[in-house]
Amino acid sequence: MTAAAPEDSTGTTAGDVPGLDTMLAELAEGERRWAATSLAERGALLTRVHAAVCAEAENWVRVASRIKLLSDDSPLVGEEWLSGPYALLTSLDALARTLRTIASGHGPLDGAKFGQAPGGRVSVPVLPLTVRDRLLMNGFSAEVWMPPRVDADTVRRRAGLGALRPERTSGIGLVLGAGNITSIAPLDVLYELVAHNRVVVLKLNPVLGELEPVFRRALAPLVDHGVLRIVTGGGDVGGYLAHHPDVAHVHITGALATHDVVAFGPGEEGRARKAAGTPLLDKPMTSELGGVSPVIVVPGTWSAADLRYQAEHIATQRLHNSGHNCIASQVVVVSGDWPQREAFLGHLRDALRTAPARPAWYPGSADRLADAARSHPGAEWQGAAGSRLLVELGGEESPGAAVETTEYFAPVLGVLTLPGLGSEFLDRAVERANRDLFGTLGANIVIDPVTMKRLGRSFDRAVAELRYGTVAVNAWTALGFLTATAPWGAFPGHTVTDAGSGIGVVHNALLIDAPERTVVRGPFRPFPRSVAGGEFALFPKPPWFVTARSAALTGRRLTRLAQRPSWARMPAVFAAAFRA
């Protein structure tokens, strides 16, 4: 784990131990400074980071688009605005607001109107929280479900995490950054600093290495305060830091295989340590590791427009960022008894075939596509030059197919057909997802309002039975990622030896202690069909759809709104969004 590596852009390698050791020594001093930094001062520091991110937003998106091989005029650049600077700016704003609230002697959940979720759970609303939320995300909502038997007083009292005792710092944390979504690494840094009172060394993923100077400028206030250091390099650099005695905690966003190498070591020796339950890493570790996310399509009576829209919706969940997402939907569960099954699958094929062409930019994507094709000989190639793969599975008789157990991190989409209608189908689909699909990060349900109302409590029970960290109903779980106040992570219960989709949560700007899951809800139809169908939702086709023609303009204008909130900027956002 400590073999020498080529010098990175900072001049520091794993073989150049004094360079890394010097950074850690500086962070040890920075920890003392962080302990003496009041909540009010921390909030002001985050406000300065906000300003620095604003100054770098254009350059950030330009560099990210170049890494991902997107042309400057592509609507898909909107993905880089929303999942890059926009996500970080909204999180900085929410975290600074939470710190100011605690500094004033109040709790971040004071005044929140808690609800009740199935199984005696307390639910905490996290979207919408402001008038701006209600306007921008009209028709969408999110709430956090706490574990059963945790009462409201306990939830309210414990909210705040490390910010309740800011003088009690927790050493140096290592963040091993993700290589796909550009805001993940800085968001993880913020959570270490605020929620856990840990100063941070951030090791960037080499895939996003070109963003290093952007991050150095955007996060400069944290670097200047002595609480953040940024390094680049390969696995040897990360391995040296992870096992360094001065590092107290490791957080990783990536693949389970990478997590296991860090925790247990590489090769046969590492696998033997994992089997024996004896990690090589002698310190706590948290993680977000992805998985195979399902979309459960509950049968109903849909119009042709509904079939097309939801097919585009599901195609987006697979094709966003060219399929290189930990939360990309990978298995669509449909009913074999649904009279509209064939029509829906026809629209899904059309959506996969006609979605904008784009390169599979993440390293190894072509190999993973080829592996999926070999594992599923009957799969259909879709899109230009066979760039996307659709796999139709059997039903109950063939669990354990590769597409159910392997996170492909590429444009591979499986279709699983199960028998039944109504609650019978839904219960069977939930059981299959919990039992046979790898991971617990996120699950999606698509259901029309009439069918949802008819199912009533059995639908709520099904949502509660899904063992996933985020469950989205008529939305994509990625909206949970994008919501700063929502916790983001796997379903609780994983361990280092059985990490699944990860351990712990991030984002969580209200600093809710030990949440169970986030439940996101959205409209079944876009405006104006939503209103015509009885849903009071004024949201058009979402800008994160891969087919949204105005995605780049909407993403840019939303980011400008997050940079400097103003009612005067809202009409421009709406004008762009309604051109999708």
Side-chain angles (χ1 to χ4, degrees), residues 31 85 111 121 130 153 191 199 225 240 251 274 311 362 555 557:
E31 183 187 0
R121 295 171 170 89
T130 66
D153 288 342
Y191 201 66
V199 297
H225 200 64
Y240 179 82
H251 178 80
K274 182 177 180 179
Y362 202 85
R557 289 182 177 177

CSV table of all heavy atoms in Angstrom, one decimal, residues 31 85 111 121 130 153 191 199 225 240 251 274 311 362 555 557:
chain,number,residue,atom,x,y,z
A,31,GLU,N,-6.4,21.5,14.0
A,31,GLU,CA,-7.5,21.0,14.9
A,31,GLU,C,-7.6,21.8,16.1
A,31,GLU,O,-8.7,22.1,16.6
A,31,GLU,CB,-7.1,19.5,15.2
A,31,GLU,CG,-8.2,18.9,16.1
A,31,GLU,CD,-7.9,17.5,16.6
A,31,GLU,OE1,-6.8,17.0,16.3
A,31,GLU,OE2,-8.7,17.0,17.4
A,85,PRO,N,-21.2,22.9,-8.6
A,85,PRO,CA,-21.3,24.1,-7.8
A,85,PRO,C,-22.6,24.3,-7.1
A,85,PRO,O,-22.7,24.7,-6.0
A,85,PRO,CB,-20.9,25.2,-8.7
A,85,PRO,CG,-21.0,24.7,-10.1
A,85,PRO,CD,-20.8,23.2,-10.0
A,111,GLY,N,-39.1,24.0,16.2
A,111,GLY,CA,-40.2,24.5,15.3
A,111,GLY,C,-40.6,23.6,14.2
A,111,GLY,O,-41.6,23.9,13.5
A,121,ARG,N,-42.7,5.2,13.5
A,121,ARG,CA,-41.5,6.1,13.2
A,121,ARG,C,-41.9,7.5,13.3
A,121,ARG,O,-42.9,7.9,12.8
A,121,ARG,CB,-40.9,5.8,11.9
A,121,ARG,CG,-40.3,4.4,11.7
A,121,ARG,CD,-39.9,4.1,10.3
A,121,ARG,NE,-39.2,2.9,10.1
A,121,ARG,CZ,-39.7,1.7,9.8
A,121,ARG,NH1,-41.0,1.6,9.8
A,121,ARG,NH2,-38.9,0.7,9.7
A,130,THR,N,-38.4,26.4,3.0
A,130,THR,CA,-38.5,27.8,2.8
A,130,THR,C,-39.5,28.1,1.6
A,130,THR,O,-39.9,27.2,0.9
A,130,THR,CB,-37.2,28.4,2.4
A,130,THR,OG1,-36.8,27.9,1.1
A,130,THR,CG2,-36.1,28.0,3.4
A,153,ASP,N,-38.9,14.0,21.0
A,153,ASP,CA,-38.1,14.7,21.9
A,153,ASP,C,-36.6,14.4,21.8
A,153,ASP,O,-35.7,15.2,21.8
A,153,ASP,CB,-38.5,14.5,23.4
A,153,ASP,CG,-39.8,15.2,23.7
A,153,ASP,OD1,-40.2,16.1,22.9
A,153,ASP,OD2,-40.5,14.9,24.7
A,191,TYR,N,-19.0,17.8,5.7
A,191,TYR,CA,-19.7,17.0,6.8
A,191,TYR,C,-18.7,16.6,7.8
A,191,TYR,O,-19.0,16.6,9.0
A,191,TYR,CB,-20.3,15.8,6.1
A,191,TYR,CG,-21.4,15.2,7.0
A,191,TYR,CD1,-22.6,16.0,7.3
A,191,TYR,CD2,-21.3,14.0,7.6
A,191,TYR,CE1,-23.5,15.5,8.1
A,191,TYR,CE2,-22.3,13.5,8.4
A,191,TYR,CZ,-23.4,14.2,8.7
A,191,TYR,OH,-24.4,13.7,9.5
A,199,VAL,N,-10.8,17.9,11.4
A,199,VAL,CA,-10.2,18.6,10.3
A,199,VAL,C,-9.8,17.5,9.2
A,199,VAL,O,-9.9,16.3,9.5
A,199,VAL,CB,-8.9,19.3,10.8
A,199,VAL,CG1,-9.3,20.4,11.7
A,199,VAL,CG2,-7.9,18.3,11.4
A,225,HIS,N,-7.5,28.6,6.8
A,225,HIS,CA,-7.8,28.5,8.3
A,225,HIS,C,-7.0,27.3,8.9
A,225,HIS,O,-7.1,27.1,10.1
A,225,HIS,CB,-9.3,28.3,8.5
A,225,HIS,CG,-9.8,28.6,9.9
A,225,HIS,ND1,-9.6,29.9,10.4
A,225,HIS,CD2,-10.3,27.8,10.8
A,225,HIS,CE1,-10.1,29.9,11.6
A,225,HIS,NE2,-10.6,28.6,11.9
A,240,TYR,N,-1.2,5.2,2.2
A,240,TYR,CA,-0.3,5.7,3.2
A,240,TYR,C,-1.1,6.6,4.2
A,240,TYR,O,-0.9,6.5,5.4
A,240,TYR,CB,0.8,6.6,2.5
A,240,TYR,CG,1.7,7.2,3.5
A,240,TYR,CD1,2.8,6.4,4.0
A,240,TYR,CD2,1.6,8.5,4.0
A,240,TYR,CE1,3.7,6.9,5.0
A,240,TYR,CE2,2.5,9.0,4.9
A,240,TYR,CZ,3.5,8.3,5.4
A,240,TYR,OH,4.4,8.8,6.3
A,251,HIS,N,-13.1,8.3,5.5
A,251,HIS,CA,-14.3,8.2,4.8
A,251,HIS,C,-14.1,8.1,3.3
A,251,HIS,O,-13.2,8.8,2.7
A,251,HIS,CB,-15.2,9.5,5.0
A,251,HIS,CG,-16.4,9.5,4.2
A,251,HIS,ND1,-17.6,8.8,4.7
A,251,HIS,CD2,-16.8,10.0,3.0
A,251,HIS,CE1,-18.5,9.0,3.8
A,251,HIS,NE2,-18.1,9.7,2.8
A,274,LYS,N,-10.7,-10.2,5.3
A,274,LYS,CA,-12.1,-9.9,5.3
A,274,LYS,C,-12.9,-11.1,5.8
A,274,LYS,O,-13.8,-11.0,6.6
A,274,LYS,CB,-12.6,-9.4,4.0
A,274,LYS,CG,-14.0,-9.1,3.9
A,274,LYS,CD,-14.5,-8.6,2.6
A,274,LYS,CE,-15.9,-8.2,2.6
A,274,LYS,NZ,-16.4,-7.7,1.3
A,311,ALA,N,-41.0,6.5,-19.1
A,311,ALA,CA,-39.9,5.8,-19.7
A,311,ALA,C,-38.7,6.7,-19.8
A,311,ALA,O,-37.5,6.3,-19.5
A,311,ALA,CB,-40.3,5.4,-21.1
A,362,TYR,N,-16.1,7.4,-18.1
A,362,TYR,CA,-15.4,6.9,-16.8
A,362,TYR,C,-14.5,5.7,-17.2
A,362,TYR,O,-15.0,4.8,-17.9
A,362,TYR,CB,-16.4,6.5,-15.8
A,362,TYR,CG,-15.8,6.5,-14.4
A,362,TYR,CD1,-15.7,7.7,-13.7
A,362,TYR,CD2,-15.3,5.4,-13.8
A,362,TYR,CE1,-15.2,7.8,-12.4
A,362,TYR,CE2,-14.8,5.4,-12.5
A,362,TYR,CZ,-14.7,6.6,-11.8
A,362,TYR,OH,-14.1,6.6,-10.6
A,555,GLY,N,-29.6,24.9,-15.3
A,555,GLY,CA,-28.6,24.6,-14.3
A,555,GLY,C,-27.8,25.9,-14.0
A,555,GLY,O,-27.5,26.2,-12.8
A,557,ARG,N,-28.7,29.0,-14.4
A,557,ARG,CA,-29.5,30.0,-13.7
A,557,ARG,C,-29.9,29.6,-12.2
A,557,ARG,O,-29.9,30.5,-11.3
A,557,ARG,CB,-30.8,30.3,-14.5
A,557,ARG,CG,-30.5,31.1,-15.8
A,557,ARG,CD,-31.8,31.4,-16.6
A,557,ARG,NE,-31.4,32.2,-17.7
A,557,ARG,CZ,-32.3,32.5,-18.7
A,557,ARG,NH1,-33.6,32.2,-18.5
A,557,ARG,NH2,-31.9,33.2,-19.7
